[in-house]
Amino acid sequence: MGHLGINWPEMERQLRQFLPPRAVVSARQELLAYDCDGLTLSRHQPPLVVLPETTAQVAAAVKLCHQQGVPFVARGSGTGLSGGAVAELESLVIATSRMRQVLAIDLENQRITVQPGVINSWVTRAVAGDGFYYAPDPSSQVACSIGGNVAENSGGVHCLKYGVTSNHVLGLEVVLPDGSVTCLGSELDETPELDLRGAFIGSEGTLGIATAITLRLLRAPQSVAVLLADFTSMEAAGEAVRLVTAAGLLPAGMEMMDRLTIEAVNDYFGVDEYPRDAAALLLIELDGQEGEVAAAVQLATQLCSQAGARTMRQATDAQERALLWKGRKSAVSALGRRFPSYYLQDGVVPRSALPRVLAAIEQLSASYGLPVANVFHAGDGNLHPLILYSAQEPGIEERVKALAADILRLCVDEGGSISGEHGVGSDKRCYLDWMYGPDDLSTMQLVRRAFDPLNLANPGKIFPTPSSCGESARRVAVLQAQGQALPDEAVVF
């Protein structure tokens, strides 16, 4: 029996009645694989995990949870970085990693339907031979799943021009928290009804579990070019970003890396693919028709030089382009090999604020005595600061989290957001009321309860509660003293 009064052995027995034997994980040593996601600072081993392979199996598991009052947590590949796929409260983990079928390909209408466990990069692989691709490409695209991308509304390098996951999902088959199955959205680009598809995407598993996802495919561009510019300061690279966007250019992607990241990447591959003495690198990808790309490359080169670029390198061949992008895609892995522990954050600021925000992060890094590596989507101001530390140092986790909070506070103060694509989960729920007032939070809870009145789907995530966020509780007390209306608090099991 669990501390919630849940008889987990009985739950396991009932789950095994309709799931294949290998689909139920109960051995303690096997459950360790599910005790965290990409956010390794917080670990919570679940009491039980199931690995369904069909919509019917997911629906049966969720229906049983609804009948028994058992909370459940949806989990994809476990690459998320907000603690959203972790059973922080005693819950059944429903992992969709074995749901890896491509259900339908409709090239005539430029769409594909997949199960949630299909890996992001597999989608493009399935249609590349016919001249199509799937645009959202998180850096973890060779490991992250489409279901997880939907849950977090993930972006990636190409989100500057082509948008994030919500811009490429046409329809969803969803198992609701009571175990019923419904469809949200349609296979049409525009529909007149309420956009429940849009409400579901980015809801982090709190509104149900997507079991089939219809995605928009794009035609591969006629021409693609990648520019690599290096600078003597992050501020100069930030100025190049400002000049490029102000000139009306819309790159497919625009990514920035600082010196710490450059050194780590070069060491990781054993060759100086990037100039080791550069303070910052800017990668700019331009795509479209041949003449359009040629003109854009010329203008972007001029603007980068105007901002202070030391050298410029251009790649148009697919292999050369992949080589330039290889270091950016491997940056987090490279830093992880060089430093014993890291904490990857995710905030957004207006592009115009990039130079001063980067300078402020450098000052915060010095103040806390903790190195911060910056590698991020510069084109849309989506920062990904990596706080580097040694887990053996006493009290280090508190310092790391305090620095991360200060960076997010800086983003909000600049008119930005606490998250661009990693979600809120448990990691940033205590900061949600920095951005939203009581009425906003109350409305969000109303939407959540409309889908999940029993609060069984990923409970305790996203929203601050007094039991999980002491600082938020103090802010609530202040509002109460002022006589302001408060949002309904999520039920804490």
Side-chain angles (χ1 to χ4, degrees):
M1 298 286 287
H3 74 276
L4 303 176
I6 298 170
N7 189 331
W8 288 107
E10 176 60 19
M11 273 296 286
E12 179 183 350
R13 186 191 68 78
Q14 293 189 53
L15 287 164
R16 288 190 183 278
Q17 290 180 356
F18 57 82
L19 291 174
R22 62 190 290 267
V24 180
V25 179
S26 58
R28 183 176 178 83
Q29 64 272 23
E30 294 177 354
L31 291 170
L32 286 172
Y34 301 90
D35 71 353
C36 72
D37 55 12
L39 180 72
T40 57
L41 269 179
S42 181
R43 295 179 179 273
H44 303 276
Q45 185 172 309
L48 199 61
V49 174
V50 292
L51 298 150
E53 298 177 9
T54 66
T55 297
Q57 290 175 2
V58 173
V62 172
K63 187 173 183 179
L64 179 62
C65 287
H66 183 260
Q67 292 170 343
Q68 302 295 327
V70 175
F72 63 90
V73 175
R75 182 184 176 96
S77 296
T79 60
L81 290 155
S82 67
V86 178
E88 185 180 41
L89 304 173
E90 197 169 278
S91 310
L92 174 70
V93 169
I94 301 176
T96 59
S97 53
R98 288 185 182 163
M99 300 180 71
R100 294 190 167 187
Q101 292 185 32
V102 174
L103 300 173
I105 297 176
D106 180 3
L107 295 182
E108 186 176 1
N109 292 296
Q110 296 186 207
R111 60 196 182 203
I112 183 172
T113 302
V114 301
Q115 287 187 309
V118 168
I119 300 303
N120 178 287
S121 62
W122 295 0
V123 179
T124 292
R125 191 187 309 169
V127 296
D130 295 295
F132 293 90
Y133 76 107
Y134 178 62
D137 56 342
S139 293
S140 58
Q141 69 178 139
V142 297
C144 65
S145 65
I146 292 296
N149 293 170
V150 168
E152 306 300 322
N153 196 17
S154 303
V157 167
H158 290 103
C159 65
L160 172 60
K161 183 174 184 178
Y162 295 105
V164 293
T165 298
S166 61
N167 300 109
H168 298 270
V169 174
L170 297 171
L172 298 159
E173 177 187 73
V174 172
V175 175
L176 296 173
D178 64 356
S180 61
V181 181
T182 190
C183 291
L184 306 179
S186 72
E187 295 181 344
L188 300 175
D189 286 348
E190 299 291 341
T191 55
E193 70 266 16
L194 186 65
D195 186 17
L196 295 177
R197 172 209 64 91
F200 187 91
I201 298 169
S203 61
E204 304 186 34
T206 62
L207 304 184
I209 303 175
T211 52
I213 304 153
T214 299
L215 304 170
R216 184 197 316 276
L217 298 173
L218 298 181
R219 279 276 185 188
Q222 183 185 66
S223 177
V224 181
V226 177
L227 295 177
L228 172 66
D230 71 275
F231 300 83
T232 58
S233 71
M234 289 290 284
E235 290 76 16
E239 175 63 10
V241 172
R242 189 191 68 80
L243 290 174
V244 168
T245 54
L249 288 179
L250 183 57
M254 192 152 46
E255 302 286 300
M256 194 184 299
M257 299 165 57
D258 67 5
R259 176 173 289 161
L260 197 56
T261 309
I262 294 166
E263 292 174 351
V265 167
N266 284 339
D267 291 344
Y268 186 63
F269 291 112
V271 59
D272 284 4
E273 191 60 46
Y274 299 144
R276 185 173 287 270
D277 62 340
L281 288 182
L282 189 61
L283 281 161
I284 304 175
E285 182 171 296
L286 301 153
D287 65 2
Q289 299 298 312
E290 287 186 8
E292 173 191 5
V293 171
V297 166
Q298 183 178 5
L299 179 55
T301 300
Q302 293 172 355
L303 295 171
C304 286
S305 297
Q306 181 181 331
R310 297 189 312 173
T311 61
M312 297 286 296
R313 180 177 165 189
Q314 179 181 337
T316 53
D317 174 82
Q319 189 171 358
E320 292 177 353
R321 297 198 312 267
L323 189 61
L324 288 185
W325 278 119
K326 184 179 179 181
R328 167 60 185 94
K329 291 283 188 178
S330 306
V332 175
S333 298
L335 286 160
R337 174 176 288 186
R338 185 172 181 181
F339 295 91
S341 301
Y342 65 82
Y343 181 46
L344 178 57
Q345 260 302 347
D346 166 52
V348 182
V349 297
R351 285 188 296 258
S352 58
L354 275 174
R356 62 176 176 272
V357 168
L358 292 171
I361 290 176
E362 187 176 356
Q363 292 173 357
L364 285 171
S365 171
S367 174
Y368 277 89
L370 291 167
V372 177
N374 288 287
V375 51
F376 57 93
H377 308 316
D380 56 354
N382 188 184
L383 305 176
H384 291 316
L386 286 92
I387 303 172
L388 309 165
Y389 66 99
S390 171
Q392 311 306 317
E393 186 178 339
I396 189 63
E397 289 189 6
E398 289 72 21
R399 282 175 57 211
V400 167
K401 289 181 178 180
L403 172 53
D406 281 351
I407 291 174
L408 293 179
R409 180 79 255 185
L410 174 66
C411 292
V412 173
D413 290 345
E414 287 287 350
S417 167
I418 62 171
S419 179
E421 58 176 336
H422 293 176
V424 176
S426 59
D427 184 42
K428 289 182 276 194
R429 63 189 167 202
C430 297
Y431 314 134
L432 196 66
D433 60 355
W434 288 354
M435 295 178 57
Y436 300 106
D439 289 344
D440 298 318
L441 293 174
S442 181
T443 301
M444 292 179 198
Q445 290 280 25
L446 287 172
V447 173
R448 180 172 182 171
R449 286 204 303 274
F451 280 80
D452 181 21
L454 299 183
N455 195 40
L456 296 179
N458 212 2
K461 303 295 172 57
I462 301 180
F463 298 100
T465 64
S467 63
S468 61
C469 304
E471 185 180 342
S472 291
R474 287 189 289 274
R475 290 194 287 270
V476 166
V478 170
L479 292 175
Q480 286 176 323
Q482 296 172 348
Q484 295 189 36
L486 300 174
D488 294 330
E489 296 296 328
V491 177
V492 178
F493 290 88

Short mmCIF file of all heavy atoms in Angstrom, two decimals, residues 274-302:
data_model
loop_
_atom_site.label_atom_id
_atom_site.label_comp_id
_atom_site.label_asym_id
_atom_site.label_seq_id
_atom_site.Cartn_x
_atom_site.Cartn_y
_atom_site.Cartn_z
N TYR A 274 35.55 25.08 -34.83
CA TYR A 274 35.21 26.48 -34.61
C TYR A 274 36.45 27.22 -34.10
O TYR A 274 37.29 26.63 -33.40
CB TYR A 274 34.10 26.62 -33.56
CG TYR A 274 32.79 25.95 -33.93
CD1 TYR A 274 32.02 25.33 -32.97
CD2 TYR A 274 32.31 25.97 -35.24
CE1 TYR A 274 30.81 24.73 -33.28
CE2 TYR A 274 31.10 25.37 -35.56
CZ TYR A 274 30.36 24.74 -34.58
OH TYR A 274 29.16 24.15 -34.90
N PRO A 275 36.62 28.52 -34.42
CA PRO A 275 37.77 29.28 -33.95
C PRO A 275 37.83 29.28 -32.42
O PRO A 275 36.95 29.81 -31.75
CB PRO A 275 37.52 30.69 -34.50
CG PRO A 275 36.60 30.49 -35.66
CD PRO A 275 35.74 29.34 -35.29
N ARG A 276 38.87 28.68 -31.84
CA ARG A 276 38.95 28.49 -30.40
C ARG A 276 39.06 29.81 -29.64
O ARG A 276 38.61 29.91 -28.49
CB ARG A 276 40.14 27.59 -30.07
CG ARG A 276 40.27 27.22 -28.59
CD ARG A 276 41.37 26.20 -28.37
NE ARG A 276 40.97 24.87 -28.85
CZ ARG A 276 40.36 23.96 -28.10
NH1 ARG A 276 40.05 24.24 -26.84
NH2 ARG A 276 40.04 22.78 -28.59
N ASP A 277 39.62 30.82 -30.25
CA ASP A 277 39.82 32.08 -29.53
C ASP A 277 38.65 33.05 -29.68
O ASP A 277 38.70 34.17 -29.18
CB ASP A 277 41.11 32.77 -29.99
CG ASP A 277 41.07 33.14 -31.47
OD1 ASP A 277 40.24 32.55 -32.21
OD2 ASP A 277 41.85 34.02 -31.89
N ALA A 278 37.59 32.62 -30.34
CA ALA A 278 36.42 33.49 -30.52
C ALA A 278 35.66 33.60 -29.20
O ALA A 278 35.53 32.64 -28.46
CB ALA A 278 35.51 32.95 -31.60
N ALA A 279 35.13 34.80 -28.93
CA ALA A 279 34.30 34.98 -27.75
C ALA A 279 32.87 34.53 -28.02
O ALA A 279 32.13 34.18 -27.09
CB ALA A 279 34.29 36.45 -27.32
N ALA A 280 32.47 34.54 -29.27
CA ALA A 280 31.11 34.13 -29.64
C ALA A 280 31.07 33.71 -31.10
O ALA A 280 31.83 34.23 -31.93
CB ALA A 280 30.13 35.27 -29.41
N LEU A 281 30.20 32.77 -31.39
CA LEU A 281 29.93 32.33 -32.77
C LEU A 281 28.46 32.56 -33.08
O LEU A 281 27.60 32.42 -32.21
CB LEU A 281 30.22 30.84 -32.93
CG LEU A 281 31.66 30.35 -32.93
CD1 LEU A 281 31.66 28.84 -33.15
CD2 LEU A 281 32.47 31.04 -34.00
N LEU A 282 28.20 32.88 -34.33
CA LEU A 282 26.83 33.02 -34.79
C LEU A 282 26.67 32.15 -36.04
O LEU A 282 27.43 32.26 -36.99
CB LEU A 282 26.53 34.48 -35.13
CG LEU A 282 25.07 34.83 -35.43
CD1 LEU A 282 24.19 34.53 -34.22
CD2 LEU A 282 24.95 36.30 -35.82
N LEU A 283 25.71 31.23 -35.99
CA LEU A 283 25.38 30.38 -37.12
C LEU A 283 24.07 30.89 -37.71
O LEU A 283 23.06 31.02 -37.00
CB LEU A 283 25.22 28.93 -36.69
CG LEU A 283 26.50 28.12 -36.47
CD1 LEU A 283 26.22 26.90 -35.61
CD2 LEU A 283 27.09 27.70 -37.81
N ILE A 284 24.07 31.19 -39.00
CA ILE A 284 22.87 31.71 -39.68
C ILE A 284 22.57 30.81 -40.86
O ILE A 284 23.40 30.63 -41.75
CB ILE A 284 23.10 33.16 -40.17
CG1 ILE A 284 23.52 34.08 -39.02
CG2 ILE A 284 21.83 33.68 -40.84
CD1 ILE A 284 23.88 35.48 -39.47
N GLU A 285 21.38 30.23 -40.85
CA GLU A 285 20.96 29.40 -41.97
C GLU A 285 19.91 30.15 -42.78
O GLU A 285 18.92 30.66 -42.24
CB GLU A 285 20.39 28.06 -41.50
CG GLU A 285 20.00 27.15 -42.67
CD GLU A 285 19.65 25.74 -42.23
OE1 GLU A 285 20.54 25.04 -41.72
OE2 GLU A 285 18.48 25.36 -42.41
N LEU A 286 20.12 30.22 -44.09
CA LEU A 286 19.22 30.92 -45.00
C LEU A 286 18.74 29.93 -46.05
O LEU A 286 19.55 29.18 -46.61
CB LEU A 286 19.94 32.10 -45.66
CG LEU A 286 20.48 33.15 -44.67
CD1 LEU A 286 21.68 33.86 -45.24
CD2 LEU A 286 19.38 34.12 -44.29
N ASP A 287 17.43 29.91 -46.31
CA ASP A 287 16.93 28.95 -47.30
C ASP A 287 15.85 29.59 -48.17
O ASP A 287 15.33 30.66 -47.86
CB ASP A 287 16.40 27.68 -46.62
CG ASP A 287 15.17 27.94 -45.74
OD1 ASP A 287 14.69 29.08 -45.68
OD2 ASP A 287 14.69 26.98 -45.11
N GLY A 288 15.57 28.94 -49.29
CA GLY A 288 14.56 29.44 -50.22
C GLY A 288 14.98 29.18 -51.66
O GLY A 288 15.70 28.22 -51.94
N GLN A 289 14.55 30.05 -52.58
CA GLN A 289 14.98 29.94 -53.96
C GLN A 289 16.43 30.38 -54.10
O GLN A 289 16.95 31.16 -53.28
CB GLN A 289 14.08 30.82 -54.85
CG GLN A 289 12.61 30.42 -54.82
CD GLN A 289 12.37 29.02 -55.33
OE1 GLN A 289 12.88 28.64 -56.39
NE2 GLN A 289 11.62 28.22 -54.58
N GLU A 290 17.12 29.92 -55.13
CA GLU A 290 18.55 30.15 -55.26
C GLU A 290 18.90 31.64 -55.26
O GLU A 290 19.80 32.08 -54.55
CB GLU A 290 19.08 29.48 -56.53
CG GLU A 290 19.16 27.98 -56.44
CD GLU A 290 19.83 27.36 -57.66
OE1 GLU A 290 20.36 28.13 -58.50
OE2 GLU A 290 19.84 26.13 -57.77
N GLY A 291 18.18 32.42 -56.06
CA GLY A 291 18.48 33.85 -56.12
C GLY A 291 18.21 34.54 -54.80
O GLY A 291 18.97 35.43 -54.37
N GLU A 292 17.14 34.15 -54.14
CA GLU A 292 16.78 34.71 -52.84
C GLU A 292 17.87 34.43 -51.81
O GLU A 292 18.28 35.32 -51.05
CB GLU A 292 15.45 34.10 -52.39
CG GLU A 292 15.02 34.47 -50.98
CD GLU A 292 13.84 33.62 -50.51
OE1 GLU A 292 13.44 32.69 -51.25
OE2 GLU A 292 13.33 33.89 -49.42
N VAL A 293 18.35 33.21 -51.78
CA VAL A 293 19.37 32.82 -50.81
C VAL A 293 20.68 33.54 -51.08
O VAL A 293 21.36 34.02 -50.16
CB VAL A 293 19.57 31.29 -50.80
CG1 VAL A 293 20.78 30.91 -49.95
CG2 VAL A 293 18.31 30.60 -50.28
N ALA A 294 21.04 33.65 -52.36
CA ALA A 294 22.30 34.33 -52.71
C ALA A 294 22.28 35.78 -52.24
O ALA A 294 23.26 36.29 -51.67
CB ALA A 294 22.52 34.26 -54.22
N ALA A 295 21.15 36.46 -52.44
CA ALA A 295 21.04 37.86 -52.00
C ALA A 295 21.05 37.96 -50.48
O ALA A 295 21.67 38.87 -49.91
CB ALA A 295 19.76 38.47 -52.57
N ALA A 296 20.38 37.01 -49.81
CA ALA A 296 20.33 37.03 -48.35
C ALA A 296 21.70 36.78 -47.75
O ALA A 296 22.08 37.40 -46.74
CB ALA A 296 19.33 35.99 -47.86
N VAL A 297 22.46 35.87 -48.35
CA VAL A 297 23.82 35.58 -47.86
C VAL A 297 24.69 36.83 -47.96
O VAL A 297 25.44 37.16 -47.03
CB VAL A 297 24.44 34.42 -48.66
CG1 VAL A 297 25.94 34.34 -48.40
CG2 VAL A 297 23.77 33.10 -48.27
N GLN A 298 24.59 37.52 -49.07
CA GLN A 298 25.41 38.73 -49.27
C GLN A 298 25.06 39.79 -48.23
O GLN A 298 25.96 40.39 -47.62
CB GLN A 298 25.18 39.28 -50.68
CG GLN A 298 26.05 40.50 -50.99
CD GLN A 298 25.84 40.99 -52.43
OE1 GLN A 298 24.99 40.49 -53.16
NE2 GLN A 298 26.63 41.98 -52.84
N LEU A 299 23.77 40.01 -47.99
CA LEU A 299 23.36 41.03 -47.03
C LEU A 299 23.73 40.62 -45.60
O LEU A 299 24.24 41.45 -44.82
CB LEU A 299 21.85 41.25 -47.13
CG LEU A 299 21.25 42.29 -46.16
CD1 LEU A 299 21.96 43.63 -46.28
CD2 LEU A 299 19.75 42.43 -46.40
N ALA A 300 23.50 39.35 -45.24
CA ALA A 300 23.83 38.89 -43.89
C ALA A 300 25.32 38.99 -43.63
O ALA A 300 25.75 39.35 -42.52
CB ALA A 300 23.36 37.44 -43.70
N THR A 301 26.14 38.71 -44.63
CA THR A 301 27.59 38.82 -44.49
C THR A 301 27.99 40.28 -44.21
O THR A 301 28.82 40.55 -43.32
CB THR A 301 28.29 38.32 -45.76
OG1 THR A 301 27.95 36.95 -45.99
CG2 THR A 301 29.80 38.44 -45.64
N GLN A 302 27.40 41.20 -44.93
CA GLN A 302 27.68 42.62 -44.72
C GLN A 302 27.29 43.07 -43.32
O GLN A 302 28.03 43.80 -42.65
CB GLN A 302 26.95 43.47 -45.76
CG GLN A 302 27.43 43.28 -47.20
CD GLN A 302 26.54 43.99 -48.20
OE1 GLN A 302 25.49 44.55 -47.84
NE2 GLN A 302 26.93 43.95 -49.47
#
